[in-house]
Amino acid sequence: LITNNFEAHATRLLRAENLQQRQQLVMEMRDSIEIVHTAEYGNFLRHLFPAFYQLLSEGTPQFSEGPEQKVRNMLLEVLNRLPNNETLRPHVPMMLSLCMKLLETDNEENAVICLRIIFDLHKNFRPTLEREVQPFLKFVERI
């Protein structure tokens, strides 16, 4: 993953011609996740988080193994491994709402990753997310 080319990488991710190409791009990101521990973290989020959000929110949940499930799972893994610091703060509301949606609609494997993300976000951004606690507790109550 070239650090000064996040925008191009996001575009390729969204415009991938097939699932195998998209899967390869996501694997590259997952395998070079250490970039988020550098000064490039803000650029990574600015360009790639919207692409991740679009793919996960507009894609169809998968309930069997296959390339699309692998892509969805790896995208969530990348989101789960992002440092919960001030650089992430502007993206927290969208990430939380995405994970809450996926928690209700996606498969169990992806839902577990969403739970981890939700817990980490609430733990690290508690004052900002106080009004989001009740919807989460209502979800837990339903299940």
Side-chain angles (χ1 to χ4, degrees), residues 99-135:
C99 287
M100 287 295 292
K101 175 188 173 203
L102 296 179
L103 194 58
E104 295 193 37
T105 60
D106 225 298
N107 65 52
E108 185 177 342
E109 183 180 5
N110 292 349
V112 168
I113 298 171
C114 287
L115 274 174
R116 282 193 223 126
I117 294 169
I118 291 167
F119 287 151
D120 284 343
L121 293 177
H122 277 288
K123 183 171 66 176
N124 292 288
F125 301 99
R126 183 173 300 150
T128 310
L129 301 176
E130 275 185 29
R131 60 189 157 88
E132 304 299 329
V133 171
Q134 203 58 43

PDB file of all heavy atoms in Angstrom, residues 99-135:
ATOM      1  N   CYS A  99     -21.648  -0.126  12.256  1.00  0.00           N
ATOM      2  CA  CYS A  99     -21.541  -1.369  13.016  1.00  0.00           C
ATOM      3  C   CYS A  99     -22.867  -1.767  13.654  1.00  0.00           C
ATOM      4  O   CYS A  99     -23.199  -2.957  13.708  1.00  0.00           O
ATOM      5  CB  CYS A  99     -20.440  -1.259  14.068  1.00  0.00           C
ATOM      6  SG  CYS A  99     -18.792  -1.299  13.339  1.00  0.00           S
ATOM      7  N   MET A 100     -23.626  -0.790  14.103  1.00  0.00           N
ATOM      8  CA  MET A 100     -24.951  -1.099  14.669  1.00  0.00           C
ATOM      9  C   MET A 100     -25.856  -1.705  13.590  1.00  0.00           C
ATOM     10  O   MET A 100     -26.580  -2.656  13.847  1.00  0.00           O
ATOM     11  CB  MET A 100     -25.594   0.151  15.269  1.00  0.00           C
ATOM     12  CG  MET A 100     -24.964   0.602  16.561  1.00  0.00           C
ATOM     13  SD  MET A 100     -25.158  -0.572  17.920  1.00  0.00           S
ATOM     14  CE  MET A 100     -26.919  -0.472  18.193  1.00  0.00           C
ATOM     15  N   LYS A 101     -25.789  -1.153  12.390  1.00  0.00           N
ATOM     16  CA  LYS A 101     -26.599  -1.693  11.287  1.00  0.00           C
ATOM     17  C   LYS A 101     -26.155  -3.115  10.943  1.00  0.00           C
ATOM     18  O   LYS A 101     -26.986  -4.016  10.797  1.00  0.00           O
ATOM     19  CB  LYS A 101     -26.468  -0.782  10.062  1.00  0.00           C
ATOM     20  CG  LYS A 101     -27.162  -1.315   8.832  1.00  0.00           C
ATOM     21  CD  LYS A 101     -26.855  -0.488   7.601  1.00  0.00           C
ATOM     22  CE  LYS A 101     -27.429  -1.170   6.374  1.00  0.00           C
ATOM     23  NZ  LYS A 101     -26.754  -0.776   5.159  1.00  0.00           N
ATOM     24  N   LEU A 102     -24.847  -3.310  10.824  1.00  0.00           N
ATOM     25  CA  LEU A 102     -24.327  -4.626  10.450  1.00  0.00           C
ATOM     26  C   LEU A 102     -24.575  -5.658  11.540  1.00  0.00           C
ATOM     27  O   LEU A 102     -24.770  -6.836  11.245  1.00  0.00           O
ATOM     28  CB  LEU A 102     -22.833  -4.538  10.123  1.00  0.00           C
ATOM     29  CG  LEU A 102     -22.468  -3.685   8.911  1.00  0.00           C
ATOM     30  CD1 LEU A 102     -20.961  -3.655   8.721  1.00  0.00           C
ATOM     31  CD2 LEU A 102     -23.169  -4.163   7.655  1.00  0.00           C
ATOM     32  N   LEU A 103     -24.585  -5.209  12.776  1.00  0.00           N
ATOM     33  CA  LEU A 103     -24.858  -6.101  13.899  1.00  0.00           C
ATOM     34  C   LEU A 103     -26.224  -6.766  13.735  1.00  0.00           C
ATOM     35  O   LEU A 103     -26.405  -7.932  14.066  1.00  0.00           O
ATOM     36  CB  LEU A 103     -24.814  -5.284  15.194  1.00  0.00           C
ATOM     37  CG  LEU A 103     -24.734  -6.005  16.517  1.00  0.00           C
ATOM     38  CD1 LEU A 103     -23.519  -6.904  16.577  1.00  0.00           C
ATOM     39  CD2 LEU A 103     -24.674  -4.984  17.633  1.00  0.00           C
ATOM     40  N   GLU A 104     -27.167  -6.043  13.182  1.00  0.00           N
ATOM     41  CA  GLU A 104     -28.527  -6.565  13.010  1.00  0.00           C
ATOM     42  C   GLU A 104     -28.723  -7.312  11.702  1.00  0.00           C
ATOM     43  O   GLU A 104     -29.634  -8.131  11.598  1.00  0.00           O
ATOM     44  CB  GLU A 104     -29.530  -5.418  13.103  1.00  0.00           C
ATOM     45  CG  GLU A 104     -29.552  -4.793  14.482  1.00  0.00           C
ATOM     46  CD  GLU A 104     -30.737  -3.886  14.695  1.00  0.00           C
ATOM     47  OE1 GLU A 104     -31.823  -4.220  14.183  1.00  0.00           O
ATOM     48  OE2 GLU A 104     -30.568  -2.862  15.370  1.00  0.00           O
ATOM     49  N   THR A 105     -27.899  -7.032  10.692  1.00  0.00           N
ATOM     50  CA  THR A 105     -28.175  -7.596   9.375  1.00  0.00           C
ATOM     51  C   THR A 105     -27.137  -8.600   8.887  1.00  0.00           C
ATOM     52  O   THR A 105     -27.456  -9.430   8.039  1.00  0.00           O
ATOM     53  CB  THR A 105     -28.275  -6.474   8.310  1.00  0.00           C
ATOM     54  OG1 THR A 105     -27.033  -5.762   8.274  1.00  0.00           O
ATOM     55  CG2 THR A 105     -29.415  -5.532   8.622  1.00  0.00           C
ATOM     56  N   ASP A 106     -25.918  -8.522   9.381  1.00  0.00           N
ATOM     57  CA  ASP A 106     -24.851  -9.347   8.826  1.00  0.00           C
ATOM     58  C   ASP A 106     -24.765 -10.691   9.531  1.00  0.00           C
ATOM     59  O   ASP A 106     -25.465 -10.945  10.509  1.00  0.00           O
ATOM     60  CB  ASP A 106     -23.506  -8.606   8.912  1.00  0.00           C
ATOM     61  CG  ASP A 106     -22.722  -8.710   7.619  1.00  0.00           C
ATOM     62  OD1 ASP A 106     -22.379  -9.850   7.233  1.00  0.00           O
ATOM     63  OD2 ASP A 106     -22.455  -7.673   6.996  1.00  0.00           O
ATOM     64  N   ASN A 107     -23.862 -11.540   9.063  1.00  0.00           N
ATOM     65  CA  ASN A 107     -23.702 -12.877   9.649  1.00  0.00           C
ATOM     66  C   ASN A 107     -22.997 -12.799  11.009  1.00  0.00           C
ATOM     67  O   ASN A 107     -22.467 -11.757  11.395  1.00  0.00           O
ATOM     68  CB  ASN A 107     -22.959 -13.799   8.682  1.00  0.00           C
ATOM     69  CG  ASN A 107     -21.536 -13.361   8.432  1.00  0.00           C
ATOM     70  OD1 ASN A 107     -20.761 -13.133   9.350  1.00  0.00           O
ATOM     71  ND2 ASN A 107     -21.189 -13.230   7.159  1.00  0.00           N
ATOM     72  N   GLU A 108     -23.002 -13.916  11.709  1.00  0.00           N
ATOM     73  CA  GLU A 108     -22.484 -13.955  13.076  1.00  0.00           C
ATOM     74  C   GLU A 108     -20.998 -13.605  13.164  1.00  0.00           C
ATOM     75  O   GLU A 108     -20.585 -12.859  14.048  1.00  0.00           O
ATOM     76  CB  GLU A 108     -22.718 -15.353  13.663  1.00  0.00           C
ATOM     77  CG  GLU A 108     -22.324 -15.475  15.113  1.00  0.00           C
ATOM     78  CD  GLU A 108     -22.624 -16.850  15.686  1.00  0.00           C
ATOM     79  OE1 GLU A 108     -23.426 -17.590  15.092  1.00  0.00           O
ATOM     80  OE2 GLU A 108     -22.049 -17.161  16.734  1.00  0.00           O
ATOM     81  N   GLU A 109     -20.208 -14.112  12.237  1.00  0.00           N
ATOM     82  CA  GLU A 109     -18.764 -13.841  12.245  1.00  0.00           C
ATOM     83  C   GLU A 109     -18.492 -12.338  12.136  1.00  0.00           C
ATOM     84  O   GLU A 109     -17.680 -11.786  12.880  1.00  0.00           O
ATOM     85  CB  GLU A 109     -18.103 -14.588  11.082  1.00  0.00           C
ATOM     86  CG  GLU A 109     -16.605 -14.437  11.028  1.00  0.00           C
ATOM     87  CD  GLU A 109     -15.983 -15.186   9.858  1.00  0.00           C
ATOM     88  OE1 GLU A 109     -16.720 -15.753   9.019  1.00  0.00           O
ATOM     89  OE2 GLU A 109     -14.745 -15.182   9.782  1.00  0.00           O
ATOM     90  N   ASN A 110     -19.181 -11.668  11.232  1.00  0.00           N
ATOM     91  CA  ASN A 110     -19.004 -10.228  11.064  1.00  0.00           C
ATOM     92  C   ASN A 110     -19.618  -9.463  12.229  1.00  0.00           C
ATOM     93  O   ASN A 110     -19.082  -8.430  12.648  1.00  0.00           O
ATOM     94  CB  ASN A 110     -19.602  -9.760   9.739  1.00  0.00           C
ATOM     95  CG  ASN A 110     -18.817 -10.285   8.549  1.00  0.00           C
ATOM     96  OD1 ASN A 110     -17.726 -10.826   8.703  1.00  0.00           O
ATOM     97  ND2 ASN A 110     -19.375 -10.143   7.372  1.00  0.00           N
ATOM     98  N   ALA A 111     -20.725  -9.954  12.762  1.00  0.00           N
ATOM     99  CA  ALA A 111     -21.370  -9.293  13.899  1.00  0.00           C
ATOM    100  C   ALA A 111     -20.458  -9.285  15.122  1.00  0.00           C
ATOM    101  O   ALA A 111     -20.432  -8.308  15.875  1.00  0.00           O
ATOM    102  CB  ALA A 111     -22.707  -9.963  14.218  1.00  0.00           C
ATOM    103  N   VAL A 112     -19.699 -10.349  15.312  1.00  0.00           N
ATOM    104  CA  VAL A 112     -18.772 -10.408  16.450  1.00  0.00           C
ATOM    105  C   VAL A 112     -17.701  -9.325  16.318  1.00  0.00           C
ATOM    106  O   VAL A 112     -17.361  -8.649  17.296  1.00  0.00           O
ATOM    107  CB  VAL A 112     -18.138 -11.817  16.572  1.00  0.00           C
ATOM    108  CG1 VAL A 112     -16.970 -11.820  17.544  1.00  0.00           C
ATOM    109  CG2 VAL A 112     -19.185 -12.835  16.997  1.00  0.00           C
ATOM    110  N   ILE A 113     -17.197  -9.125  15.110  1.00  0.00           N
ATOM    111  CA  ILE A 113     -16.207  -8.062  14.893  1.00  0.00           C
ATOM    112  C   ILE A 113     -16.862  -6.703  15.139  1.00  0.00           C
ATOM    113  O   ILE A 113     -16.273  -5.822  15.764  1.00  0.00           O
ATOM    114  CB  ILE A 113     -15.599  -8.140  13.480  1.00  0.00           C
ATOM    115  CG1 ILE A 113     -14.871  -9.473  13.298  1.00  0.00           C
ATOM    116  CG2 ILE A 113     -14.632  -6.978  13.253  1.00  0.00           C
ATOM    117  CD1 ILE A 113     -14.413  -9.739  11.867  1.00  0.00           C
ATOM    118  N   CYS A 114     -18.110  -6.546  14.678  1.00  0.00           N
ATOM    119  CA  CYS A 114     -18.834  -5.288  14.915  1.00  0.00           C
ATOM    120  C   CYS A 114     -18.992  -5.032  16.407  1.00  0.00           C
ATOM    121  O   CYS A 114     -18.847  -3.888  16.863  1.00  0.00           O
ATOM    122  CB  CYS A 114     -20.207  -5.322  14.247  1.00  0.00           C
ATOM    123  SG  CYS A 114     -20.129  -5.173  12.456  1.00  0.00           S
ATOM    124  N   LEU A 115     -19.282  -6.074  17.178  1.00  0.00           N
ATOM    125  CA  LEU A 115     -19.394  -5.915  18.633  1.00  0.00           C
ATOM    126  C   LEU A 115     -18.092  -5.416  19.236  1.00  0.00           C
ATOM    127  O   LEU A 115     -18.091  -4.523  20.087  1.00  0.00           O
ATOM    128  CB  LEU A 115     -19.785  -7.238  19.288  1.00  0.00           C
ATOM    129  CG  LEU A 115     -21.256  -7.550  19.360  1.00  0.00           C
ATOM    130  CD1 LEU A 115     -21.475  -8.958  19.912  1.00  0.00           C
ATOM    131  CD2 LEU A 115     -22.002  -6.532  20.189  1.00  0.00           C
ATOM    132  N   ARG A 116     -16.978  -5.983  18.790  1.00  0.00           N
ATOM    133  CA  ARG A 116     -15.670  -5.536  19.295  1.00  0.00           C
ATOM    134  C   ARG A 116     -15.442  -4.060  18.980  1.00  0.00           C
ATOM    135  O   ARG A 116     -14.960  -3.299  19.821  1.00  0.00           O
ATOM    136  CB  ARG A 116     -14.545  -6.376  18.690  1.00  0.00           C
ATOM    137  CG  ARG A 116     -14.400  -7.718  19.339  1.00  0.00           C
ATOM    138  CD  ARG A 116     -13.090  -8.370  18.916  1.00  0.00           C
ATOM    139  NE  ARG A 116     -13.375  -9.757  18.625  1.00  0.00           N
ATOM    140  CZ  ARG A 116     -13.095 -10.383  17.503  1.00  0.00           C
ATOM    141  NH1 ARG A 116     -12.471  -9.767  16.526  1.00  0.00           N
ATOM    142  NH2 ARG A 116     -13.409 -11.632  17.331  1.00  0.00           N
ATOM    143  N   ILE A 117     -15.788  -3.674  17.751  1.00  0.00           N
ATOM    144  CA  ILE A 117     -15.613  -2.276  17.352  1.00  0.00           C
ATOM    145  C   ILE A 117     -16.493  -1.374  18.213  1.00  0.00           C
ATOM    146  O   ILE A 117     -16.037  -0.337  18.719  1.00  0.00           O
ATOM    147  CB  ILE A 117     -15.937  -2.088  15.848  1.00  0.00           C
ATOM    148  CG1 ILE A 117     -14.910  -2.838  14.990  1.00  0.00           C
ATOM    149  CG2 ILE A 117     -15.977  -0.606  15.480  1.00  0.00           C
ATOM    150  CD1 ILE A 117     -15.287  -2.950  13.517  1.00  0.00           C
ATOM    151  N   ILE A 118     -17.748  -1.760  18.392  1.00  0.00           N
ATOM    152  CA  ILE A 118     -18.690  -0.968  19.196  1.00  0.00           C
ATOM    153  C   ILE A 118     -18.173  -0.823  20.627  1.00  0.00           C
ATOM    154  O   ILE A 118     -18.177   0.279  21.188  1.00  0.00           O
ATOM    155  CB  ILE A 118     -20.099  -1.602  19.170  1.00  0.00           C
ATOM    156  CG1 ILE A 118     -20.698  -1.446  17.769  1.00  0.00           C
ATOM    157  CG2 ILE A 118     -21.002  -0.975  20.221  1.00  0.00           C
ATOM    158  CD1 ILE A 118     -21.936  -2.294  17.525  1.00  0.00           C
ATOM    159  N   PHE A 119     -17.727  -1.913  21.228  1.00  0.00           N
ATOM    160  CA  PHE A 119     -17.203  -1.851  22.602  1.00  0.00           C
ATOM    161  C   PHE A 119     -16.006  -0.911  22.678  1.00  0.00           C
ATOM    162  O   PHE A 119     -15.908  -0.089  23.589  1.00  0.00           O
ATOM    163  CB  PHE A 119     -16.801  -3.240  23.114  1.00  0.00           C
ATOM    164  CG  PHE A 119     -17.956  -4.136  23.448  1.00  0.00           C
ATOM    165  CD1 PHE A 119     -17.823  -5.503  23.327  1.00  0.00           C
ATOM    166  CD2 PHE A 119     -19.178  -3.640  23.882  1.00  0.00           C
ATOM    167  CE1 PHE A 119     -18.874  -6.355  23.635  1.00  0.00           C
ATOM    168  CE2 PHE A 119     -20.231  -4.475  24.196  1.00  0.00           C
ATOM    169  CZ  PHE A 119     -20.076  -5.840  24.073  1.00  0.00           C
ATOM    170  N   ASP A 120     -15.075  -1.045  21.725  1.00  0.00           N
ATOM    171  CA  ASP A 120     -13.889  -0.182  21.728  1.00  0.00           C
ATOM    172  C   ASP A 120     -14.259   1.287  21.551  1.00  0.00           C
ATOM    173  O   ASP A 120     -13.694   2.164  22.212  1.00  0.00           O
ATOM    174  CB  ASP A 120     -12.906  -0.601  20.632  1.00  0.00           C
ATOM    175  CG  ASP A 120     -12.138  -1.857  20.990  1.00  0.00           C
ATOM    176  OD1 ASP A 120     -12.117  -2.234  22.176  1.00  0.00           O
ATOM    177  OD2 ASP A 120     -11.560  -2.472  20.064  1.00  0.00           O
ATOM    178  N   LEU A 121     -15.198   1.562  20.651  1.00  0.00           N
ATOM    179  CA  LEU A 121     -15.615   2.950  20.435  1.00  0.00           C
ATOM    180  C   LEU A 121     -16.250   3.526  21.696  1.00  0.00           C
ATOM    181  O   LEU A 121     -15.952   4.656  22.089  1.00  0.00           O
ATOM    182  CB  LEU A 121     -16.578   3.055  19.251  1.00  0.00           C
ATOM    183  CG  LEU A 121     -15.992   2.749  17.873  1.00  0.00           C
ATOM    184  CD1 LEU A 121     -17.077   2.813  16.809  1.00  0.00           C
ATOM    185  CD2 LEU A 121     -14.842   3.678  17.538  1.00  0.00           C
ATOM    186  N   HIS A 122     -17.122   2.750  22.334  1.00  0.00           N
ATOM    187  CA  HIS A 122     -17.764   3.238  23.561  1.00  0.00           C
ATOM    188  C   HIS A 122     -16.746   3.412  24.688  1.00  0.00           C
ATOM    189  O   HIS A 122     -16.839   4.359  25.467  1.00  0.00           O
ATOM    190  CB  HIS A 122     -18.890   2.293  23.996  1.00  0.00           C
ATOM    191  CG  HIS A 122     -20.177   2.548  23.287  1.00  0.00           C
ATOM    192  ND1 HIS A 122     -20.965   3.642  23.534  1.00  0.00           N
ATOM    193  CD2 HIS A 122     -20.799   1.848  22.307  1.00  0.00           C
ATOM    194  CE1 HIS A 122     -22.018   3.608  22.751  1.00  0.00           C
ATOM    195  NE2 HIS A 122     -21.943   2.530  21.985  1.00  0.00           N
ATOM    196  N   LYS A 123     -15.790   2.525  24.759  1.00  0.00           N
ATOM    197  CA  LYS A 123     -14.770   2.617  25.806  1.00  0.00           C
ATOM    198  C   LYS A 123     -13.885   3.847  25.619  1.00  0.00           C
ATOM    199  O   LYS A 123     -13.546   4.519  26.583  1.00  0.00           O
ATOM    200  CB  LYS A 123     -13.922   1.335  25.797  1.00  0.00           C
ATOM    201  CG  LYS A 123     -12.880   1.276  26.885  1.00  0.00           C
ATOM    202  CD  LYS A 123     -12.227  -0.084  26.967  1.00  0.00           C
ATOM    203  CE  LYS A 123     -11.427  -0.375  25.739  1.00  0.00           C
ATOM    204  NZ  LYS A 123     -10.690  -1.633  25.759  1.00  0.00           N
ATOM    205  N   ASN A 124     -13.547   4.156  24.369  1.00  0.00           N
ATOM    206  CA  ASN A 124     -12.589   5.226  24.098  1.00  0.00           C
ATOM    207  C   ASN A 124     -13.200   6.586  23.808  1.00  0.00           C
ATOM    208  O   ASN A 124     -12.512   7.601  23.899  1.00  0.00           O
ATOM    209  CB  ASN A 124     -11.686   4.820  22.933  1.00  0.00           C
ATOM    210  CG  ASN A 124     -10.769   3.687  23.305  1.00  0.00           C
ATOM    211  OD1 ASN A 124      -9.826   3.888  24.059  1.00  0.00           O
ATOM    212  ND2 ASN A 124     -11.063   2.493  22.836  1.00  0.00           N
ATOM    213  N   PHE A 125     -14.470   6.616  23.454  1.00  0.00           N
ATOM    214  CA  PHE A 125     -15.123   7.883  23.112  1.00  0.00           C
ATOM    215  C   PHE A 125     -16.425   8.044  23.893  1.00  0.00           C
ATOM    216  O   PHE A 125     -17.403   8.565  23.371  1.00  0.00           O
ATOM    217  CB  PHE A 125     -15.388   7.955  21.599  1.00  0.00           C
ATOM    218  CG  PHE A 125     -14.140   7.843  20.771  1.00  0.00           C
ATOM    219  CD1 PHE A 125     -13.779   6.641  20.190  1.00  0.00           C
ATOM    220  CD2 PHE A 125     -13.324   8.949  20.586  1.00  0.00           C
ATOM    221  CE1 PHE A 125     -12.618   6.541  19.431  1.00  0.00           C
ATOM    222  CE2 PHE A 125     -12.169   8.853  19.828  1.00  0.00           C
ATOM    223  CZ  PHE A 125     -11.809   7.649  19.253  1.00  0.00           C
ATOM    224  N   ARG A 126     -16.440   7.582  25.124  1.00  0.00           N
ATOM    225  CA  ARG A 126     -17.648   7.527  25.942  1.00  0.00           C
ATOM    226  C   ARG A 126     -18.443   8.831  25.991  1.00  0.00           C
ATOM    227  O   ARG A 126     -19.636   8.816  25.691  1.00  0.00           O
ATOM    228  CB  ARG A 126     -17.306   7.068  27.361  1.00  0.00           C
ATOM    229  CG  ARG A 126     -18.544   6.920  28.235  1.00  0.00           C
ATOM    230  CD  ARG A 126     -18.226   6.324  29.561  1.00  0.00           C
ATOM    231  NE  ARG A 126     -17.643   5.010  29.325  1.00  0.00           N
ATOM    232  CZ  ARG A 126     -16.771   4.438  30.114  1.00  0.00           C
ATOM    233  NH1 ARG A 126     -16.375   5.038  31.199  1.00  0.00           N
ATOM    234  NH2 ARG A 126     -16.294   3.251  29.842  1.00  0.00           N
ATOM    235  N   PRO A 127     -17.860   9.972  26.344  1.00  0.00           N
ATOM    236  CA  PRO A 127     -18.676  11.190  26.437  1.00  0.00           C
ATOM    237  C   PRO A 127     -19.373  11.545  25.122  1.00  0.00           C
ATOM    238  O   PRO A 127     -20.527  11.951  25.114  1.00  0.00           O
ATOM    239  CB  PRO A 127     -17.674  12.278  26.824  1.00  0.00           C
ATOM    240  CG  PRO A 127     -16.509  11.556  27.397  1.00  0.00           C
ATOM    241  CD  PRO A 127     -16.469  10.217  26.730  1.00  0.00           C
ATOM    242  N   THR A 128     -18.676  11.338  24.018  1.00  0.00           N
ATOM    243  CA  THR A 128     -19.233  11.655  22.706  1.00  0.00           C
ATOM    244  C   THR A 128     -20.400  10.740  22.346  1.00  0.00           C
ATOM    245  O   THR A 128     -21.318  11.149  21.640  1.00  0.00           O
ATOM    246  CB  THR A 128     -18.139  11.494  21.625  1.00  0.00           C
ATOM    247  OG1 THR A 128     -16.985  12.206  22.028  1.00  0.00           O
ATOM    248  CG2 THR A 128     -18.605  11.986  20.286  1.00  0.00           C
ATOM    249  N   LEU A 129     -20.366   9.518  22.850  1.00  0.00           N
ATOM    250  CA  LEU A 129     -21.336   8.504  22.422  1.00  0.00           C
ATOM    251  C   LEU A 129     -22.412   8.194  23.449  1.00  0.00           C
ATOM    252  O   LEU A 129     -23.133   7.208  23.290  1.00  0.00           O
ATOM    253  CB  LEU A 129     -20.590   7.214  22.058  1.00  0.00           C
ATOM    254  CG  LEU A 129     -19.552   7.340  20.949  1.00  0.00           C
ATOM    255  CD1 LEU A 129     -18.814   6.027  20.760  1.00  0.00           C
ATOM    256  CD2 LEU A 129     -20.194   7.781  19.656  1.00  0.00           C
ATOM    257  N   GLU A 130     -22.541   9.012  24.479  1.00  0.00           N
ATOM    258  CA  GLU A 130     -23.505   8.713  25.536  1.00  0.00           C
ATOM    259  C   GLU A 130     -24.909   8.448  25.019  1.00  0.00           C
ATOM    260  O   GLU A 130     -25.583   7.541  25.465  1.00  0.00           O
ATOM    261  CB  GLU A 130     -23.532   9.848  26.567  1.00  0.00           C
ATOM    262  CG  GLU A 130     -22.466   9.701  27.617  1.00  0.00           C
ATOM    263  CD  GLU A 130     -22.573  10.758  28.687  1.00  0.00           C
ATOM    264  OE1 GLU A 130     -23.682  11.245  28.948  1.00  0.00           O
ATOM    265  OE2 GLU A 130     -21.523  11.081  29.255  1.00  0.00           O
ATOM    266  N   ARG A 131     -25.366   9.221  24.039  1.00  0.00           N
ATOM    267  CA  ARG A 131     -26.734   9.039  23.557  1.00  0.00           C
ATOM    268  C   ARG A 131     -26.881   7.804  22.670  1.00  0.00           C
ATOM    269  O   ARG A 131     -27.983   7.420  22.316  1.00  0.00           O
ATOM    270  CB  ARG A 131     -27.249  10.289  22.860  1.00  0.00           C
ATOM    271  CG  ARG A 131     -26.455  10.717  21.671  1.00  0.00           C
ATOM    272  CD  ARG A 131     -26.914  12.102  21.187  1.00  0.00           C
ATOM    273  NE  ARG A 131     -25.873  12.747  20.445  1.00  0.00           N
ATOM    274  CZ  ARG A 131     -25.685  12.613  19.141  1.00  0.00           C
ATOM    275  NH1 ARG A 131     -26.504  11.886  18.439  1.00  0.00           N
ATOM    276  NH2 ARG A 131     -24.700  13.227  18.542  1.00  0.00           N
ATOM    277  N   GLU A 132     -25.772   7.177  22.322  1.00  0.00           N
ATOM    278  CA  GLU A 132     -25.806   5.966  21.493  1.00  0.00           C
ATOM    279  C   GLU A 132     -25.854   4.693  22.329  1.00  0.00           C
ATOM    280  O   GLU A 132     -26.000   3.609  21.785  1.00  0.00           O
ATOM    281  CB  GLU A 132     -24.580   5.923  20.569  1.00  0.00           C
ATOM    282  CG  GLU A 132     -24.420   7.130  19.686  1.00  0.00           C
ATOM    283  CD  GLU A 132     -25.574   7.350  18.730  1.00  0.00           C
ATOM    284  OE1 GLU A 132     -26.209   6.356  18.300  1.00  0.00           O
ATOM    285  OE2 GLU A 132     -25.857   8.515  18.413  1.00  0.00           O
ATOM    286  N   VAL A 133     -25.740   4.815  23.631  1.00  0.00           N
ATOM    287  CA  VAL A 133     -25.731   3.639  24.493  1.00  0.00           C
ATOM    288  C   VAL A 133     -27.100   2.966  24.500  1.00  0.00           C
ATOM    289  O   VAL A 133     -27.211   1.744  24.392  1.00  0.00           O
ATOM    290  CB  VAL A 133     -25.291   4.008  25.930  1.00  0.00           C
ATOM    291  CG1 VAL A 133     -25.485   2.845  26.878  1.00  0.00           C
ATOM    292  CG2 VAL A 133     -23.842   4.474  25.930  1.00  0.00           C
ATOM    293  N   GLN A 134     -28.153   3.756  24.604  1.00  0.00           N
ATOM    294  CA  GLN A 134     -29.495   3.202  24.703  1.00  0.00           C
ATOM    295  C   GLN A 134     -29.883   2.348  23.493  1.00  0.00           C
ATOM    296  O   GLN A 134     -30.397   1.242  23.672  1.00  0.00           O
ATOM    297  CB  GLN A 134     -30.524   4.318  24.946  1.00  0.00           C
ATOM    298  CG  GLN A 134     -31.800   3.823  25.592  1.00  0.00           C
ATOM    299  CD  GLN A 134     -31.550   3.128  26.923  1.00  0.00           C
ATOM    300  OE1 GLN A 134     -30.764   3.571  27.745  1.00  0.00           O
ATOM    301  NE2 GLN A 134     -32.209   2.003  27.127  1.00  0.00           N
ATOM    302  N   PRO A 135     -29.646   2.802  22.261  1.00  0.00           N
ATOM    303  CA  PRO A 135     -29.967   1.928  21.122  1.00  0.00           C
ATOM    304  C   PRO A 135     -29.211   0.596  21.172  1.00  0.00           C
ATOM    305  O   PRO A 135     -29.761  -0.447  20.821  1.00  0.00           O
ATOM    306  CB  PRO A 135     -29.541   2.747  19.902  1.00  0.00           C
ATOM    307  CG  PRO A 135     -29.579   4.160  20.358  1.00  0.00           C
ATOM    308  CD  PRO A 135     -29.227   4.126  21.820  1.00  0.00           C
TER     309      PRO A 135
END
